[in-house]
Amino acid sequence: MPRYFDCKKLNKKLHLLFQVPISKYAVTLLSIIAIHRLFTSCNVYNYPSVPREQLTDAIYTATVPQLAEKRTKPDCPYDHILQSKEKLQTWEVPKSSKDIGNFSAWGIKDGSYTPEHCQPLFSVAILVTYRNRQRHLDIFLPYMHNFLRKQNIHYKIFLVEQLDNKPWNKGMLYNIGAQRALAERFPCLLLHDVDLLPLAASNLYVCMDQPRHLSASIDKFRFVLIYDYLVGGVLAMRADHYVRVNGFSNNFYNWGGEDDEMADRILSNNLKILRFPREMSEYSMMTHTHEPVNRARETIIKENKIQGHKDGLSSVRYESLQVKAQRLCTWIGVKL
Ligand code: BGC
Ligand code: MN
């Protein structure tokens, strides 16, 4: 005789189940939620990216005209950089300028470096917005020069400092830095937070054919991409794309939102947000206190969209501007 499901046995088991104290249910429930959360965050942990083997075809090759004109050396190699597995762990990055060791500024002038023995195929303007973060800057500049000098690229670091005590306006500072970089005819702009340090040697600091979000995997966010249109932290854009989207909005004061609004500009101009694979996109964020949060950011994003993103690179206004060539950066001091 076939054995059918034994309801009696089940009833017995259910009976036993209901005898378990309530706290055990709570623990079980919390464990299920935790496992579920882990799996859902895993999806974003493995965000869509351009595979390592396809990166060479997806990067945007362009230099400043001066470099393109005098081509006497063989092209610099980049494949070994893109293939590199060398990576620092979060605990290995310098925590103070003392940890940097003996930094030598060889080859650097005005924050710029050009490889000597080969012809670079990329010129990149690195724009860093800044106010009152000396501790970060003392680590950021030497760390970045050590990191970038190994990449065979021509680059220049512009530090854009807000000199007044008005609320912080990161978007406007980026636009002001971009004006300068465009005037120097850089074909690629890399917009960089001063508190982020790249960990992977393979994270080549160049633009892609579409806007590229570099800091997709930050230790502060447990190396997870917190949402798919995030472009905050480190973003690389072709100069012509930056102009096409009219740069950042100047309407965001205090902390937050200007990057989300930039994502809106990118997507509404039919551009895409590309990323390198996760293991190439890891960053460590230096700890800091926040500027006050901009609670109106969602509303401003909506209003700007209605106005067709007219406010931006084309409408920057400021009170005064100074430029000073320093060894490790070209400093742009602005009063808004
Ligand atoms: C803010 C962004 C920020 C992101 C991650 C968002 O709520 O609007 O500006 O980059 O959080 O911190
Ligand atoms: Mn930060």
Side-chain angles (χ1 to χ4, degrees), residues 221 226-227 230 232 255-257 259-260 297:
F221 301 135
I226 48 175
Y227 46 91
L230 180 72
W255 181 88
D259 52 346
D260 300 329
R297 58 194 194 283

Side-chain angles (χ1 to χ4, degrees), residues 109-133:
K109 189 176 170 282
D110 310 341
S112 180
Y113 173 83
T114 313
E116 260 183 40
H117 302 294
C118 57
Q119 176 76 29
L121 301 183
F122 308 97
S123 288
V124 180
I126 298 170
L127 312 181
V128 184
T129 51
Y130 177 83
R131 182 165 72 179
N132 197 20
R133 293 265 191 99

